[in-house]
Amino acid sequence: MPAFIMILGGFFIVNTGMWLIRIGLSYAYICKAKAVAASDMPDDIKIVILIPVLNEEKRIRRTIEMCSRIVQDHVEIVFATSSKERKKRDNTIAIIDQYRSKYSWIKAYKYEGDGYMAHQLNYALKAYCEENPVDGRTLFAVYNIDSVITKATLFWVAEQYLAHGCGPVIYQQYGYYCKNWKDCEGQFWINKAVLWSNMLWQTRWSIGFEMAHALMGLLFCKKNIWFMNYCIGHGLFFNKMVYDMVGGFEEKSLNEDAIFGLKACLNNIKIIPVPWLERADSPDSVFSLFRQKITWIYGPGQAFEYGRFIKGENKTGKRGKGRLLWLCMQLFEHAIRWILVPVIVAAAIVGSFFCSISVGIVIICLILFYLAGLNLLTVYLYDKNNNMSFKEMIYVILGCIPQFLLHGLSGWCGIFQLLGKWLFGKKIIKRKTEMRA
């Protein structure tokens, strides 16, 4: 048992150090990039923002009003709707139509079929290109219904894109998931603690893993040949050239964004992080959180299935099947990490009860710093004006362990669902994350 505890202690110390390095790398990049922020939109660039929506009667009005504050001559808004919309008088499509009479900059295209987000995005983008002139100076951006899109982000991306010659490149904005923090205040204490801890964990993952991972790819893998980096289906900027190179959004997979990044890597397309985080909502109920996590693990969990799709399209790239396999293995490693680290945390907690009191306290403190401490540090570095109270910090500390164990449990559930699909042909229904507010 002492050797086992020492190994676990070493695991948390080493991993904490790695997280601190990655968080520091991202923080330095954010500060440097923001120091040379653009002050206006370049005249030569147009940005078309695609927002897929489905049954969003509660939030669509807020989104449209938010968009009205960023729209100018070179920014357009396109809503990608679906025939799966609820058949009611005042549904999302009806509300959009009402606003189209008020705002001429709103466009909407309805996908007729039983598809998912990828189908909506592909249909809307192609329909837009048929009706409007699109060239190398047109950028498409994908955002969610809850996203807060800022002019600073659009200006920076447009300026960088123009400076780099308008070639095949992807700009990826990562998430700051504390936008609906106040919506959880009235909930039962453990629910509130778990939800707040998750908001910080997701923000830490954005800065300390996703952004840092992209930066390491740019720093150490100049040609992007053997380095895998996935995309996220919101805060995603690309041009028509990139869209055609990767074959659009994959409609055969459960998630459209991870394979988008995989195909980009196969085509040696750089994925450049945006230094402004996208302020977005996080699930406001534990059940919705659990369901969302199950859906999210489908992304890396389907890595080898993506490989089959790509091989079937004969688009394995210059290095062939070996390179494709290596990239798929890197993507699948994210799923392994997702389900394995919470198991190690659980084992460390159980093990702490079978050693001396002092050693047990040290182990628990290491876990709490690895989870809550790094979460709080990340959010403080990015947003020093977050106004989090001491009481709220206590909730975050109390909720970090149950949140992380729930995170791991959802991952295991998602993996078992994928195994059922592969082994027994069971159909997986991709469920929408329902919000209370």
Side-chain angles (χ1 to χ4, degrees), residues 142-244:
V142 177
Y143 276 98
N144 282 343
I145 186 73
D146 61 295
S147 301
V148 175
I149 310 167
T150 64
K151 288 185 177 181
T153 299
L154 302 181
F155 295 168
W156 186 89
V157 171
E159 185 181 70
Q160 292 294 312
Y161 179 63
L162 187 61
H164 287 89
C166 303
V169 65
I170 292 171
Y171 292 93
Q172 179 68 70
Q173 188 177 21
Y174 300 100
Y176 181 86
Y177 294 96
C178 302
K179 174 170 162 267
N180 59 330
W181 182 278
K182 296 296 183 183
D183 293 345
C184 301
E185 284 185 335
Q187 299 199 34
F188 185 60
W189 75 269
I190 187 61
N191 293 351
K192 177 165 51 181
V194 167
L195 294 172
W196 280 347
S197 295
N198 176 71
M199 292 179 185
L200 299 193
W201 165 256
Q202 286 302 142
T203 302
R204 163 185 161 184
W205 184 262
S206 292
I207 297 175
F209 182 83
E210 291 172 335
M211 181 180 287
H213 192 67
L215 290 171
M216 287 188 286
L218 295 174
L219 288 172
F220 304 120
C221 305
K222 297 294 184 183
K223 293 186 178 180
N224 207 31
I225 293 176
W226 298 101
F227 186 84
M228 169 61 206
N229 190 18
Y230 61 87
C231 289
I232 303 168
H234 48 95
L236 177 66
F237 294 79
F238 55 91
N239 61 14
K240 186 63 165 53
M241 186 188 306
V242 168
Y243 180 83
D244 291 336

Side-chain angles (χ1 to χ4, degrees), residues 122-398:
N122 285 333
Y123 180 81
L125 191 147
K126 291 174 183 176
Y128 178 88
C129 291
E130 288 176 2
E131 296 180 2
N132 301 273
V134 173
D135 57 21
R137 296 181 182 273
T138 301
L139 268 175
F140 291 95
V142 177
Y143 276 98
N144 282 343
I145 186 73
D146 61 295
S147 301
V148 175
I149 310 167
T150 64
K151 288 185 177 181
T153 299
L154 302 181
F155 295 168
W156 186 89
V157 171
E159 185 181 70
Q160 292 294 312
Y161 179 63
L162 187 61
H164 287 89
C166 303
V169 65
I170 292 171
Y171 292 93
Q172 179 68 70
Q173 188 177 21
Y174 300 100
Y176 181 86
Y177 294 96
C178 302
K179 174 170 162 267
N180 59 330
W181 182 278
K182 296 296 183 183
D183 293 345
C184 301
E185 284 185 335
Q187 299 199 34
F188 185 60
W189 75 269
I190 187 61
N191 293 351
K192 177 165 51 181
V194 167
L195 294 172
W196 280 347
S197 295
N198 176 71
M199 292 179 185
L200 299 193
W201 165 256
Q202 286 302 142
T203 302
R204 163 185 161 184
W205 184 262
S206 292
I207 297 175
F209 182 83
E210 291 172 335
M211 181 180 287
H213 192 67
L215 290 171
M216 287 188 286
L218 295 174
L219 288 172
F220 304 120
C221 305
K222 297 294 184 183
K223 293 186 178 180
N224 207 31
I225 293 176
W226 298 101
F227 186 84
M228 169 61 206
N229 190 18
Y230 61 87
C231 289
I232 303 168
H234 48 95
L236 177 66
F237 294 79
F238 55 91
N239 61 14
K240 186 63 165 53
M241 186 188 306
V242 168
Y243 180 83
D244 291 336
M245 289 172 71
V246 303
F249 292 99
E250 181 57 63
E251 297 179 356
K252 296 192 295 290
S253 62
L254 292 167
N255 290 50
E256 71 289 330
D257 45 9
I259 189 172
F260 194 91
L262 175 59
K263 289 182 177 180
C265 292
L266 280 170
N267 285 279
N268 300 330
I269 299 170
K270 287 185 177 180
I271 301 173
I272 300 175
V274 177
W276 279 266
L277 296 188
E278 171 205 347
R279 292 183 178 269
D281 288 339
S282 186
D284 55 4
S285 74
V286 174
F287 177 75
S288 292
L289 171 62
F290 185 71
R291 177 177 283 182
Q292 183 191 69
K293 298 284 188 176
I294 292 175
T295 301
W296 280 4
I297 201 171
Y298 297 156
Q302 287 184 287
F304 296 109
E305 195 166 354
Y306 302 153
R308 280 207 319 275
F309 295 156
I310 294 169
K311 282 194 291 185
E313 297 168 356
N314 294 317
K315 295 181 178 179
T316 54
K318 295 179 181 178
R319 306 279 171 157
K321 297 178 181 178
R323 178 168 173 247
L324 174 61
L325 176 62
W326 174 245
L327 294 175
C328 290
M329 288 171 63
Q330 290 183 63
L331 180 57
F332 190 71
E333 183 269 337
H334 299 160
I336 298 299
R337 185 187 319 210
W338 184 321
I339 63 177
L340 191 59
V341 177
V343 172
I344 295 174
V345 169
I349 293 171
V350 173
S352 67
F353 289 100
F354 294 92
C355 53
S356 65
I357 294 176
S358 58
V359 173
I361 291 173
V362 169
I363 292 295
I364 295 299
C365 288
L366 285 173
I367 293 172
L368 290 176
F369 184 77
Y370 176 75
L371 296 177
L374 290 177
N375 291 352
L376 291 165
L377 174 65
T378 305
V379 171
Y380 173 75
L381 286 174
Y382 182 77
D383 184 10
K384 294 182 175 63
N385 299 316
N386 60 68
N387 297 321
M388 188 184 304
S389 68
F390 179 76
K391 183 178 179 180
E392 289 171 336
M393 290 184 190
I394 297 299
Y395 275 113
V396 168
I397 294 170
L398 292 174

